[in-house]
Amino acid sequence: MAITEPQLRRPATVGGSSTAGGLPGAGGHPQARILTDRCAGCQECVVRCPTGALSMDPVLWVAQADNTACVGCRQCMRTCPFSAITVDGPCLVERRAATLDGHSAIVLGAVAETRQGFSSLEEALAEAARCLHCPDPTCVRGCPAHNDIPGFVAALRRGDLAGAHEVLRATTVMPDVCARVCNQAAQCEGACTWSLAGGEPVSIGRLERFVADNAPVPPPAATREGGGPGSGLRVAVVGSGPAGAGAAWVLVESGARVTVYEKDTTPGGLCDWGIPDFTLPVRVAQRPWDQLVRAGVDLRCGTGVDAAQLDELLEAYDAVVLAHGAGEPLRLAVPGSNLEGVIDATTFLKGAKAALRPGGEVGGFLSSLGLPSQAAAPDGAGRTGVADAGPRVLVLGAGNTAMDVARTARRLGCRAVCVDWMDERYALVRPDEVAEARAEGVEVRFLRTVSTLEGDGSRVRVARLARTEQRQAGQRPKVLSGPPEEVEVDLVVMAMGYRLDAAFAQRLPGTPVRRTDAGVPDRHWLASGVLATPPAGKAAVGTLSLGREVALEAAMFPFRPRVWVAGDALTGPSTVVEAMAQGRRAAFAVLDARPRRPAAVHPRSDGTGKSAGEPGGDGRHAEQPLRALVCYESAGGRTARVAAELADRLRSEGMEATSLPLVKVTAEDLAATDLLVVGAWTEGMVVARVHPARAAVAWLQKLPRLAGKSAAVFCTYSVAPRGTLAEMTKLLEAKGANVLAAEAFGGHGSPGSAATASVHAFAGRLAEARGSLAYA
Amino acid sequence: MSLTTEGPAATDEAGDRQPQGGEEQPARAACSARPRPSAMGAVPVRLGRPTSDGMTRRFASSDPSPGLDLARRPVLARLMRDRRFQFLLVLPNQIVFWTVIFVGLLGTAVPGLNFGTAITWYVWFCLVFVMMVVVGRAWCSMCPFGGFAEWVQRRALFRRTQKALGLGLKFPEPLARLGFLIPVGSFVLLTWIEEFFNIAGPGNPADTSFMVIGIVLSALVFFLVFERRTFCRYVCPLTTLIGTVGSMGSVAGFRTRDREICLACTTKDCMRGSENGYGCPWYTWPGSADSNLYCGLCTECFKSCPEGNIGLFLQKPLTSVVAPARRRADVAWGVALLWGLVLYQQFNATNVFNTIDTKLNSVLGFPHYPDPVDYLGLIVAGALTLAGAAFVVGRLFGTGAVPARAGKASFIDRTTPFRSFFVPMAYGLIPVVGADYFARQLPKFFHTSPRVLPAAAHIFGFASTRTALYSTSLLGNNGIVVTQVIVIAVGTLAALWSMWRVAGRDLVPVSRSAAGVRLASLAFVAACGAGAAILYVLMHAAN
């Protein structure tokens, strides 16, 4: 345990009234009870208990609880594999300090931040003291970037703000942005152990904001001259949104030369134009880019890259990270949708943002939209609350973008109505956003959809709304028949969301990546208890988080050789933090793969007599040993022995080789390997229905894109391998791998036998094939 | 767009300029320490250290010898790694028992010629018993009742699926705390039903079908309501018998090969399941199993362990009776009640019993044998006799000291002066109880087991009651009695050995006189064995 002060290990307040959560039997002290019949003494609860309340009975070899130390966080309950422990009673956690998000009436033209952070260190420390510093922190799994939350909170508790920021910086490049725009309830705070126990989570977002706003933020530590791991690499990053920023930061810190192409005139992407200043002030949104440019990133604003130019980029750069986002607004095709006065959210938000900033022309913006220009004075005297009069703006959609549009419209002096055809219970909007919007006078109407828009001549004037019905989450709402409701409108803003740019999506088959995982949940996630069904009324944060992991892993694998994709471009519309995390992941994958563009690989007659970096196959530096991963599915142990032997042999051929059973191979292992060797035993009825072991087939089918990665297959057999190797080869090639060799090993090999000799020969062939592999 | 002009030109130049001479050395050095994405994306886990204090001593007596690991044999390992392994074990039994159901309902009403009756009551129970004594829960690994329900629950015959069918509830904790008491109750109930309807008697073959259907259905209901093999562990009528008598068996079950690896494992795939296998359906962890009591031999842990750290171990006979460091009260009461039940089954073949039963029925107005009052009364009396004997031994020799430990509130692990004698002594008696159940089946087996062949043939229209095999008896009544007495004698000898070991480890430390308590406990075993043997002589091979 990293924390020693007992008062920190255990929140102080005990008592029914001040404890959080409507748990059964709230009040009194938590009681952990062990069902000794079923407790197998595996100590999963013991090693995860944050307070050390659990220990082992040496005779029965079952867990025993010291209830005086128990705080009722129920991690033991969630992590016990046999559900042999129950905890009753309240969560002994102090209530959060009262929320500061009280909304006063908004002011015309005001863009002050609506959400506030902690105002003093004392407040922050009081909140930090509620953190249990869980040994297997579920909040970290809930955080899409996997920030070390207990780590930074512990540093904060020591009063070490710089240290806390350093902890955050290890996994995020924009804690200040994320702290403001993240939906913590569906991420870290939703996965906080208190939250999973039905209590009130630690205000992680606000603590992060306190650290990010109050600690000095050093610029990226560029190591270009010093020669970091990326030194010598030229990488193009397309897009300067959060994914681009994440990738550029990691790359520039590693010493790579980074060029960022941004089609807008200012960097930041969605953070710049998509999030209003009252949520994300411009100084915060621009901070990463100011620092990145200072660190040497070549930022080329106003330079869009379209899909057709990808090949040009690949000629000029060693690697390309596509982080161009999902910027194509969805449009509702209803009669009248092409009338004047029907615009999309991007246009509205971009224009309003410029208009509301100092020096902006609110009146001019409004009249450009065909609205009467209001007497909105951004920083003049005579500020008034927004009256319930003014132009009527109908926002189609009630998602987060729609809320931003409507709230901005309120600040421009308009009346705003949002309509969405989903049921509020299942809507994808943040509940707190809806509440804030409503507090600001936005009318949000769910279960409605626009059936027609009508105008007088060319200008939209009336919207007809139909009622809809949605019976369960995820179901497509049904439009009900009935007399339409008429709403008079002056402006219609379509804010139903975005999708991928079609031209890019076509060139990157497989995007958008779906963030659901149908397979067996990752073992470590399962063990942490984050996937446990939360108390009623809470989102299944663990499942959501595990889905996010799918996209994070997808960002590590190039879509084509030397092309990585991250952010909304990879997943479709998603969140800032996910995009940032994927950008970082993609950048690390670039650094790991160290690809080389053809121009840099082939020696040039420039008189030095030396080619750039002396590349080996794939343009890799020749001095870098190739990394081989020999993974196997073994039943009787023979395949495992062959794999170990092969790895051993590949090592003596100068590679970094490891052998792992299939179940232990992680996406990181796969992404980092240069040569993937897959081995399986041969399953079947002697000679009939012979095929690779089922588990191996399933594993191969679930592989990510391998985009030209070198691979090899082998199998072990007793009678005849028949089509085993061909099937494995086919499966690997279907994933885009370049299968160099295939070999079947028969007989019961023991060291020194003929089988060993054939393993050695196979290794030799592999090393030769991989070594002589020309750049593909 | 400036890509075609300044972009590539600039990059090419830089590409040529950049890696030069000595400047590159540090870059290369750094390359070998490349950042790994895994290091960046990993969740910082700061798990506490699992304790292994006293672990070696705790498991020393029950850990099997590494040399007896059957899973080291590649052929067997490959078989067990195959997901179809258990399916192929269950399938033949599944076929047999669906045949039993259909033939019982639709076939001949002559019990001896009906395959359903013949296979179930003449052969099956004896085979199950032999498997128990040799292997342990071998039957559980191939049981068609749980097997069928498990297929439904998993929505698969053998594949590893993720979504279970049914509610997946946990068995209510107050009931789970009773351990083997509920299954003993269901065994007593089932036996009573069987006696009342004279199902095994042999009565109407359709009754056998109804009984099998009842078991299949109740298993199905439990599998659909609760998670894993809750039915098998907490409800199944046979589980106490197979568990306790099976602990005489020579298969230790699936155990860890290296306990340190298990302790260091932070994912416990054997309990939670992995891609290749389900989490243990029996709620057993190979890392802490100290007997084969709850190992259903289903091979799931073997399949799911990513470390290959699980073996299938053999052990010396009776090891799981004498070795476990943890003695469970539910096992002890289970053995005592099973003892009561088998005594009842012996006693009910005597004339004295008939008189009592008839008299009770006429008083209570109960239609016919067996009267529930004398049925339950005798079972409880049998169990209490055991408990009483242990109480007396405790009073005579006990120091009254009670070892302090966890689980104080739990029925299974609570310690009292009485329990510190009763529980170990019940364990020591297991071989006698087992032998008694076996001996009780012998008359039926010897007299009627050959009927299985004509009964099987009868399904296809061959054979009749006139077929020679129908009336062939493998052994005469005198021979049967002698065999029964021999079986009891062997069981008693085994129990004497077990009790000697159990007494030495568990009774002597809480007794004032080591020799006295040993002698008393051995006398107790001998008395039980002698009592059973005498009853068999009195029964004279009655069914």
Side-chain angles (χ1 to χ4, degrees):
Chain A
M1 291 286 298
I3 296 177
T4 46
E5 306 103 298
Q7 74 273 20
L8 293 187
R9 287 179 54 167
R10 202 164 155 261
T13 310
V14 178
S17 60
S18 69
T19 53
L23 291 163
H29 198 88
Q31 292 283 326
R33 284 179 303 144
I34 285 107
L35 175 53
T36 54
D37 167 56
R38 217 147 60 192
C39 175
C42 72
Q43 303 193 43
E44 287 288 275
C45 56
V46 176
V47 299
R48 286 189 176 80
C49 177
T51 65
L54 292 164
S55 58
M56 288 296 289
D57 177 278
V59 178
L60 299 179
W61 203 255
V62 296
Q64 54 187 1
D66 170 12
N67 279 325
T68 56
C70 177
V71 295
C73 72
R74 291 160 172 78
Q75 289 194 52
C76 46
M77 252 175 100
R78 287 194 294 276
T79 55
C80 176
F82 286 163
S83 44
I85 184 163
T86 49
V87 181
D88 295 315
C91 295
L92 294 192
V93 57
E94 257 183 282
R95 275 202 164 282
R96 274 179 170 189
T99 171
L100 303 172
D101 287 340
H103 257 76
S104 51
I106 54 155
V107 182
L108 267 188
V111 288
E113 267 191 272
T114 53
R115 294 182 205 142
Q116 300 300 319
F118 292 116
S119 53
S120 67
L121 181 62
E122 287 66 44
E123 267 185 28
L125 286 179
E127 184 61 31
R130 301 175 70 236
C131 175
L132 280 171
H133 204 277
C134 305
D136 191 350
T138 43
C139 53
V140 179
R141 295 183 195 274
C143 170
H146 300 326
N147 290 346
D148 181 1
I149 293 163
F152 97 78
V153 173
L156 175 63
R157 281 206 292 225
R158 292 192 300 267
D160 179 7
L161 273 176
H165 200 274
E166 203 179 319
V167 172
L168 285 170
R169 268 205 314 281
T171 44
T172 172
V173 305
M174 39 178 68
D176 43 358
V177 176
C178 292
R180 286 174 167 83
V181 303
C182 270
N183 181 11
Q184 283 95 1
Q187 299 172 357
C188 52
E189 293 180 18
C192 171
T193 193
W194 288 127
S195 195
L196 294 174
E200 230 181 358
V202 175
S203 302
I204 299 163
R206 208 172 272 170
L207 288 173
E208 183 187 22
R209 177 166 170 175
F210 185 81
V211 171
D213 286 355
N214 293 290
V217 184
T223 49
R224 180 188 296 196
E225 298 312 318
S231 124
L233 275 181
R234 313 190 116 258
V235 187
V237 177
V238 179
S240 69
W249 196 290
V250 168
L251 290 166
V252 80
E253 275 201 326
S254 74
R257 295 172 70 93
V258 184
T259 310
V260 178
Y261 293 94
E262 169 55 54
K263 67 177 190 298
D264 287 338
T265 50
T266 46
L270 184 110
C271 289
D272 175 47
W273 58 261
I275 304 176
D277 288 354
F278 59 79
T279 302
L280 183 65
V282 63
R283 67 179 160 79
V284 178
Q286 290 303 317
R287 192 269 315 158
W289 285 104
D290 294 343
Q291 290 185 319
L292 280 169
V293 169
R294 276 207 298 280
V297 168
D298 179 8
L299 173 65
R300 300 184 187 176
C301 288
T303 315
V305 173
D306 62 41
Q309 287 167 304
L310 191 55
D311 293 330
E312 286 174 53
L313 283 179
L314 281 171
E315 266 178 40
Y317 295 95
D318 297 320
V320 176
V321 179
L322 292 177
H324 51 269
E328 202 167 292
L330 291 172
R331 288 189 69 90
L332 187 63
V334 292
S337 60
N338 46 9
L339 284 169
E340 208 178 288
V342 182
I343 60 170
D344 62 47
T346 314
T347 316
F348 183 88
L349 287 172
K350 279 184 175 171
K353 196 145 183 172
L356 284 168
R357 279 181 185 168
E361 287 274 334
V362 171
F365 172 62
L366 290 177
S367 49
S368 77
L369 297 176
L371 300 177
S373 50
Q374 292 286 300
D379 48 0
R383 290 184 166 197
T384 51
V386 177
D388 284 329
R392 288 151 304 199
V393 177
L394 177 69
V395 184
L396 303 188
N400 297 325
T401 307
M403 291 304 132
D404 286 342
V405 170
R407 293 171 70 186
T408 308
R410 292 291 291 152
R411 283 165 172 76
L412 292 167
C414 304
R415 285 176 286 176
V417 180
C418 295
V419 292
D420 195 301
W421 72 341
M422 292 178 92
D423 192 306
E424 186 164 359
R425 284 171 296 174
Y426 316 129
L428 305 173
V429 66
R430 290 171 56 167
D432 53 341
E433 289 260 10
V434 178
E436 285 173 23
R438 284 185 168 141
E440 291 176 4
V442 175
E443 192 185 333
V444 188
R445 300 167 75 178
F446 288 95
L447 292 175
R448 300 280 191 292
T449 186
V450 169
S451 54
T452 51
L453 295 169
E454 287 166 17
D456 53 352
S458 61
R459 178 85 197 175
V460 67
R461 284 291 165 228
V462 174
R464 291 188 196 282
L465 304 183
R467 287 179 168 277
T468 59
E469 179 186 66
Q470 187 184 24
R471 291 242 172 90
Q472 60 199 37
Q475 190 192 45
R476 189 183 163 87
K478 258 198 327 215
V479 180
L480 302 175
S481 57
E485 253 176 276
E486 278 190 16
V487 182
E488 285 184 30
V489 296
D490 296 307
L491 183 71
V492 176
V493 183
M494 294 203 179
M496 281 100 56
Y498 298 91
R499 65 173 173 207
L500 294 184
D501 174 57
F504 265 119
Q506 211 166 21
R507 288 184 71 103
L508 302 171
T511 55
V513 168
R514 288 192 60 206
R515 283 170 295 171
T516 50
D517 189 9
V520 183
D522 179 280
R523 311 151 57 218
H524 298 275
W525 284 68
L526 208 58
S528 75
V530 70
L531 300 176
T533 317
K538 303 263 179 183
V541 184
T543 317
L544 282 178
S545 315
L546 201 55
R548 291 194 283 259
E549 212 64 9
V550 175
L552 209 52
E553 285 179 2
M556 289 192 295
F557 294 91
F559 265 73
R560 302 168 37 178
R562 300 195 288 130
V563 178
W564 280 263
V565 185
D568 288 3
L570 178 69
T571 59
S574 141
T575 56
V576 168
V577 60
E578 275 175 82
M580 185 274 298
Q582 290 161 16
R584 281 174 47 87
R585 248 337 143 88
F588 280 115
V590 170
L591 294 177
D592 218 37
R594 288 189 64 80
R596 282 305 219 190
R597 64 194 184 281
V601 170
H602 300 301
R604 294 166 66 95
S605 48
D606 54 2
T608 62
K610 197 172 176 209
S611 70
E614 299 274 7
D618 277 4
R620 173 181 292 281
H621 285 261
E623 301 77 26
Q624 277 175 215
L626 286 172
R627 278 170 307 203
L629 175 64
V630 185
C631 43
Y632 58 87
E633 174 64 27
S634 183
R638 191 145 61 94
T639 317
R641 277 200 304 278
V642 170
E645 180 89 41
L646 186 60
D648 212 37
R649 199 64 202 169
L650 288 174
R651 271 192 292 274
S652 64
E653 298 276 357
M655 299 191 193
E656 273 178 18
T658 38
S659 65
L660 278 179
L662 292 187
V663 287
K664 290 183 105 179
V665 176
T666 63
E668 286 87 349
D669 293 327
L670 278 178
T673 189
D674 303 310
L675 172 62
L676 175 67
V677 186
V678 186
W681 55 283
T682 305
E683 202 173 322
M685 288 169 270
V686 191
V687 288
R689 297 193 58 209
V690 173
H691 55 86
R694 277 157 201 272
V697 172
W699 187 84
L700 285 166
Q701 282 166 343
K702 274 175 61 185
L703 274 179
R705 303 168 306 277
L706 295 173
K709 200 181 278 288
S710 300
V713 294
F714 72 88
C715 70
T716 53
Y717 67 95
S718 300
V719 183
R722 296 175 70 95
T724 305
L725 290 175
E727 190 173 342
M728 292 172 75
T729 307
K730 210 173 99 190
L731 287 166
L732 266 173
E733 281 173 347
K735 296 293 178 182
N738 176 20
V739 181
L740 302 176
E743 184 68 66
F745 301 104
H748 292 267
S750 56
S753 70
T756 314
S758 60
V759 170
H760 287 193
F762 182 53
R765 265 168 58 208
L766 274 179
E768 199 180 315
R770 188 61 182 74
S772 66
L773 190 71
Y775 181 82
Chain B
M1 172 69 208
S2 56
L3 274 181
T4 46
T5 54
E6 56 181 294
T11 43
D12 278 357
E13 255 175 66
D16 286 340
R17 258 201 324 266
Q18 207 248 332
Q20 292 284 332
E23 275 177 39
E24 232 213 317
Q25 290 314 113
R28 286 180 191 165
C31 284
S32 59
R34 277 166 295 189
R36 298 294 294 266
S38 49
M40 308 313 297
V43 173
V45 172
R46 308 173 177 94
L47 295 182
R49 224 172 51 78
T51 178
S52 52
D53 296 347
M55 190 179 73
T56 318
R57 205 159 45 88
R58 162 67 175 76
F59 290 101
S61 62
S62 54
D63 273 352
S65 149
L68 297 176
D69 181 0
L70 289 177
R72 294 266 182 219
R73 298 177 175 277
V75 175
L76 192 60
R78 180 174 284 215
L79 264 177
M80 294 193 304
R81 191 87 66 190
D82 195 311
R83 283 227 54 87
R84 289 162 298 189
F85 179 73
Q86 194 183 10
F87 166 75
L88 292 174
L89 284 180
V90 173
L91 188 64
N93 292 295
Q94 197 70 243
I95 294 169
V96 167
F97 273 88
W98 285 104
T99 311
V100 165
I101 290 175
F102 284 109
V103 174
L105 287 175
L106 308 172
T108 173
V110 180
L113 256 192
N114 190 298
F115 180 74
T117 311
I119 189 94
T120 311
W121 302 111
Y122 304 162
V123 177
W124 171 73
F125 200 87
C126 280
L127 283 181
V128 170
F129 190 89
V130 172
M131 279 194 287
M132 272 186 240
V133 174
V134 179
V135 182
R137 287 195 183 267
W139 172 251
C140 302
S141 70
M142 59 182 73
C143 168
F145 314 122
F148 175 75
E150 199 168 56
W151 293 348
V152 176
Q153 185 194 47
R154 290 176 174 175
R155 305 167 187 253
L157 296 178
F158 48 81
R159 264 183 320 115
R160 166 75 163 115
T161 53
Q162 268 307 293
K163 235 178 119 56
L165 191 68
L167 306 177
L169 301 183
K170 326 245 185 269
F171 198 54
E173 197 192 321
L175 299 179
R177 281 185 189 280
L178 297 177
F180 274 132
L181 288 198
I182 293 172
V184 167
S186 67
F187 188 46
V188 167
L189 179 69
L190 189 73
T191 309
W192 185 83
I193 291 172
E194 183 259 299
E195 297 277 355
F196 185 80
F197 292 102
N198 196 21
I199 300 173
N204 185 357
D207 290 341
T208 301
S209 301
F210 290 133
M211 195 192 79
V212 174
I213 290 171
I215 295 175
V216 171
L217 281 184
S218 52
L220 193 60
V221 167
F222 272 90
F223 271 75
L224 288 179
V225 172
F226 299 105
E227 56 164 21
R228 310 199 193 203
R229 281 185 177 249
T230 293
F231 176 80
C232 306
R233 175 151 181 159
Y234 293 114
V235 185
C236 171
L238 274 180
T239 197
T240 319
L241 189 66
I242 300 189
T244 54
V245 175
S247 62
M248 297 158 66
S250 309
V251 175
F254 288 91
R255 304 271 183 97
T256 175
R257 285 175 174 158
D258 179 350
R259 189 165 284 110
E260 293 291 349
I261 292 180
C262 282
L263 273 188
C265 171
T266 56
T267 54
K268 305 285 192 287
D269 304 52
C270 52
M271 306 167 90
R272 296 191 174 102
S274 76
E275 286 92 338
N276 295 340
Y278 291 86
C280 178
W282 286 85
Y283 299 104
T284 293
W285 183 42
S288 68
D290 64 1
S291 82
N292 61 6
L293 183 65
Y294 277 132
C295 178
L297 301 174
C298 66
T299 68
E300 292 297 344
C301 57
F302 182 72
K303 290 180 168 85
S304 55
C305 178
E307 310 286 342
N309 192 34
I310 291 174
L312 174 59
F313 289 91
L314 297 180
Q315 62 185 6
K316 289 184 199 132
L318 299 172
T319 301
S320 287
V321 174
V322 299
R326 178 181 178 187
R327 301 265 183 229
R328 299 171 51 123
D330 62 328
V331 170
W333 281 110
V335 169
L337 287 163
L338 287 177
W339 172 245
L341 181 59
V342 75
L343 282 187
Y344 169 85
Q345 287 186 326
Q346 287 185 271
F347 191 52
N348 72 3
T350 59
N351 292 333
V352 185
F353 174 79
N354 268 336
T355 323
I356 297 172
D357 195 64
T358 317
K359 196 152 266 173
L360 255 180
N361 276 338
S362 66
V363 172
L364 297 172
F366 202 76
H368 62 83
Y369 164 87
D371 188 275
V373 173
D374 65 53
Y375 178 74
L376 287 177
L378 277 171
I379 292 171
V380 171
L384 288 180
T385 311
L386 264 193
F391 180 77
V392 170
V393 174
R395 288 307 287 264
L396 286 178
F397 301 101
T399 56
V402 178
R405 60 187 192 192
K408 285 186 275 291
S410 132
F411 161 75
I412 290 171
D413 293 307
R414 197 166 44 222
T415 50
T416 61
F418 160 66
R419 279 181 165 207
S420 53
F421 281 86
F422 168 62
V423 176
M425 284 172 72
Y427 269 80
L429 194 68
I430 285 174
V432 172
V433 179
D436 206 349
Y437 271 91
F438 186 50
R440 185 67 185 81
Q441 299 304 316
L442 289 178
K444 209 170 267 172
F445 178 78
F446 285 125
H447 282 314
T448 50
S449 65
R451 287 182 186 177
V452 170
L453 293 176
H458 189 80
I459 301 175
F460 304 100
F462 305 105
S464 69
T465 47
R466 287 185 302 278
T467 310
L469 271 178
Y470 185 82
S471 37
T472 303
S473 195
L474 294 177
L475 210 58
N477 279 352
N478 288 337
I480 290 172
V481 172
V482 170
T483 316
Q484 284 175 319
V485 171
I486 290 171
V487 166
I488 292 293
V490 171
T492 309
L493 282 176
L496 285 171
W497 182 83
S498 309
M499 189 61 94
W500 176 259
R501 298 288 301 269
V502 169
R505 199 192 74 193
D506 297 347
L507 299 183
V508 168
V510 290
S511 301
R512 290 188 299 265
S513 155
V517 78
R518 279 200 147 127
L519 208 63
S521 56
L522 292 183
F524 161 76
V525 168
C528 287
I534 291 166
L535 272 172
Y536 279 117
V537 174
L538 291 179
M539 283 161 67
H540 195 64
N543 275 346

